[in-house]
Amino acid sequence: MNSAVIGLQWGDEGKGKVVTYLSRDYDCVVRYSGGSNAGHTVDYGPFKLVHHLVPSADARLKKGMYIACGVAVDLKVLLEEIEQLESFFPQGSEFLRVSKQAHVVVPFYRELDGKIDSARSEPVGTTRRGIGLCYANRALRFGLRLEDFEDEELLERKLRELARVWNLQIDTKSVLKELIESHRRISHLLIDSVEAFEDLKGKNLLFEGTQGVLLDVDVGTYPYVTSTNCSSTGVQAGFGFPVRLDKIIGVMKAYTTRVGEGPFPTELKGEEGERIRKLGREYGATTGRPRRCGWLDFVLLRYAVKVSGCNEVILTKADVLNGFEKLAVCVAYEIDGVRVRDVKNLRNIHKAVPVYEEIQGWTDLESPSFERFVKRIEQELGVRISHVSTGSRIDDMIAL
Ligand code: IMP
C-alpha cells in the first residue's frame, strides 16, 4: 500500500507527528518536495526532533527513509539533522538514502532568496532558505545536483556559471571547499534515483508532504505560495517515477494558521488570535516567526480536499481549543456581495468576507460537543476522519 500525507491548509498542520505515527505501517517514508523551508516537529516524549529534510519516520522502528530527487537539499542542514538524530538514535541514519539527482541549495541562494523577496512590491514572506532559488535554477538548468560532486572540475565550472548568471562576487574556491566537505560526509547515503526505485519496488511507501495544499505553486494562493507542487500532485514528479497512491491522507488543524504574507479570510487579528497562538504554540518551526491564527474555514478545506484528491482526514490540535466556550466556523464567503459556499479558484479570496456559524466548544476531546464537531467536519468536507490527534506526542492519537 502506498499513501501520501498532505497538509490541507497553509502548512503546520502537524504532518510530522502524523507521518511518524503512521510510519509503523509502512516500509519507507519518502520526502518528495520542498526543502529546509519545512519544519516537522516530532515529540518522542523525553525529547523532540525537528525534521527539515530527514523524513519523519519513527526512528525507534528503524524504517527506511528516502529523500527523493524532488527535494532541495541544503547539505549543512542535512548534516546538522543527521547529527541531531544520531544523538538520540545512534546509527539513526543507517536506513537513510538521498537521491543523487536531487538539487543542492548553494549557500548563496539564501541571501538571494531574501534579496528577491524584498525587491517585490508585495513580498511573499519566504522562509529565506533559498528553496525558490534552488527550483528556479533547476528550471533554468543551472542547478547543481548531488551527482555533480563526482566530477569536481564540472562542479567548479557550474558554480562559477551560477555566480556569473546571478552577478555575484563570491569566493568560488571557499564555497566549493565547504560544499565538497559536506558532501563527503554524506556520500555513503547517496543513491541513483533509479536504483532507489528498484529497491523500493513492492514495498509500502508513505510519501511525506511538506507545507500544505494552499501553498502549492499551482493550486494554492499564488503568488503567496511555495515554489513546488507540495500537494499530492507533486508525488510522482518528486519521486521521479510513476506510483499509485492507495490513500491520500489530508491533515487539518481544528483552526487555521498561516506564516508569511497572503490572503487569510478567517484571520483573527485581535485577542482571540493571540489566545490561539499562545495555546497552540504557533511559532514557525523553521523561522520562529509568530503564525497568523484564525477560525476553521470550510470553504478552503472543501477546495483543498477536492484539488488534492484527499480521501481520508486526520484532525490535529483540537485539544488546543479545549475550554473555549464557543467557536466559530466559516461556512461560506461573501465575495462582491454574492454568497458562495464553494470557490473554483483562489483569485478573489482576498475580497472574501467570511460567513460564520457559531458552534459550541468542548472541555475535552471526550465531550459530546467534540463528537458533534468531528461529525460536522465530515459532513462539510464529505470525507471520513480516520484519526484525531489528542496531544503532541507520537502516540497521542485516537483511531476512529
Ligand atoms: P518559501 O517556501 O520559503 O519560498 O516560502 C514561501 C511561502 O511558503 C511563505 O509564505 C512561507 O512562510 C511558506 N512556507 C514555506 N514552508 C512552509 C512550511 O513548512 N510551513 C508553513 N509555511 C511555509
Side-chain angles (χ1 to χ4, degrees):
M1 179 178 63
N2 299 322
S3 305
V5 171
I6 55 155
L8 290 177
Q9 293 153 315
W10 279 291
D12 309 313
E13 298 91 354
K15 294 179 295 297
K17 172 234 166 103
V18 166
V19 169
T20 312
Y21 174 84
L22 295 177
S23 66
R24 62 191 68 179
D25 297 327
Y26 295 83
D27 301 306
C28 182
V29 177
V30 182
R31 266 286 300 271
Y32 63 90
S33 88
S36 57
N37 48 353
H40 291 173
T41 307
V42 181
D43 187 349
Y44 279 85
F47 57 88
K48 287 183 184 165
L49 293 186
V50 181
H51 295 249
H52 298 290
L53 284 164
V54 173
S56 313
D58 191 331
R60 299 169 299 191
L61 305 178
K62 300 191 187 306
K63 296 285 177 176
M65 297 178 277
Y66 177 50
I67 298 177
C69 61
V71 176
V73 178
D74 187 321
L75 289 168
K76 206 163 161 237
V77 175
L78 180 59
L79 280 167
E80 281 167 7
E81 221 177 301
I82 291 173
E83 233 168 72
Q84 175 201 230
L85 177 70
E86 298 201 328
S87 69
F88 294 106
F89 299 97
Q91 279 130 35
S93 68
E94 196 181 340
F95 301 103
L96 173 66
R97 294 292 174 272
V98 185
S99 165
K100 286 188 189 180
Q101 282 72 44
H103 280 248
V104 175
V105 178
V106 178
F108 61 73
Y109 289 0
R110 286 182 176 231
E111 201 186 316
L112 272 178
D113 188 347
K115 272 193 188 153
I116 290 172
D117 206 32
S118 309
R120 294 177 200 274
S121 47
E122 290 177 10
V124 171
T126 72
T127 59
R128 305 197 165 200
R129 293 296 185 272
I131 307 306
L133 259 295
C134 188
Y135 290 112
N137 283 321
R138 177 176 79 160
L140 290 166
R141 279 126 311 141
F142 290 118
L144 285 192
R145 306 216 280 189
L146 283 163
E147 65 184 1
D148 295 332
F149 285 73
E150 286 168 22
D151 178 347
E152 284 184 19
E153 254 178 52
L154 167 79
L155 187 66
E156 183 166 358
R157 207 164 60 235
K158 288 185 92 171
L159 205 55
R160 287 193 192 286
E161 183 181 52
L162 267 172
R164 206 164 56 239
V165 167
W166 289 101
N167 199 17
L168 293 173
Q169 305 299 323
I170 56 156
D171 180 352
T172 322
K173 291 270 180 229
S174 83
V175 175
L176 203 61
K177 192 164 165 249
E178 186 188 326
L179 284 174
I180 290 172
E181 171 56 17
S182 302
H183 173 268
R184 190 188 55 75
R185 292 174 58 199
I186 57 140
S187 56
H188 60 292
L189 303 176
L190 300 179
I191 185 166
D192 280 306
S193 293
V194 172
E195 198 183 334
F197 179 52
E198 277 161 1
D199 287 353
L200 294 173
K201 254 194 192 139
K203 301 229 164 97
N204 296 312
L205 308 181
L206 182 62
F207 290 88
E208 176 178 10
T210 48
Q211 293 87 40
V213 174
L214 303 176
L215 282 173
D216 182 281
V217 66
D218 288 314
V219 294
T221 47
Y222 191 87
Y224 301 98
V225 290
T226 191
S227 41
T228 55
N229 285 115
C230 51
S231 180
S232 48
T233 55
V235 169
Q236 298 213 12
F239 184 42
F241 303 95
V243 62
R244 192 173 63 89
L245 292 177
D246 301 287
K247 277 202 243 176
I248 298 175
I249 304 164
V251 183
M252 60 170 280
K253 263 196 295 222
Y255 49 92
T256 314
T257 61
R258 170 163 211 172
V259 236
E261 304 305 319
F264 181 173
T266 59
E267 181 169 13
L268 293 166
K269 292 198 168 131
E271 262 172 43
E272 273 171 317
E274 188 55 33
R275 185 173 169 204
I276 296 177
R277 186 176 307 117
K278 283 217 174 94
L279 289 170
R281 294 195 200 91
E282 296 294 351
Y283 299 89
T286 297
T287 58
R289 287 182 288 179
R291 295 178 184 142
R292 299 156 66 191
C293 297
W295 295 127
L296 199 60
D297 185 334
F298 285 135
V299 181
L300 287 181
L301 282 166
R302 273 193 292 272
Y303 171 85
V305 165
K306 182 159 55 191
V307 302
S308 65
C310 158
N311 43 30
E312 191 175 307
V313 168
I314 295 183
L315 176 65
T316 62
K317 295 191 100 167
D319 53 301
V320 168
L321 302 179
N322 286 355
F324 273 67
E325 206 177 312
K326 297 274 176 208
L327 302 166
V329 288
C330 169
V331 293
Y333 289 158
E334 271 190 15
I335 300 179
D336 294 331
V338 180
R339 189 167 169 150
V340 290
R341 187 176 177 273
D342 288 295
V343 286
K344 290 194 182 69
N345 59 61
L346 305 180
R347 202 171 54 240
N348 288 322
I349 70 158
H350 61 285
K351 295 198 255 175
V353 179
V355 178
Y356 287 116
E357 222 176 83
E358 199 177 74
I359 60 164
Q360 203 193 329
W362 50 86
T363 44
D364 57 64
L365 301 187
E366 287 177 4
S367 314
S369 53
F370 178 65
E371 206 176 304
R372 283 197 292 278
F373 179 64
V374 170
K375 290 261 169 304
R376 177 73 191 267
I377 296 172
E378 291 184 325
Q379 235 171 34
E380 294 277 349
L381 307 188
V383 193
R384 183 177 84 91
I385 295 190
S386 64
H387 296 77
V388 172
S389 163
T390 56
S392 70
R393 292 188 185 189
I394 300 166
D395 291 309
D396 293 340
M397 191 81 103
I398 306 172
L400 300 183

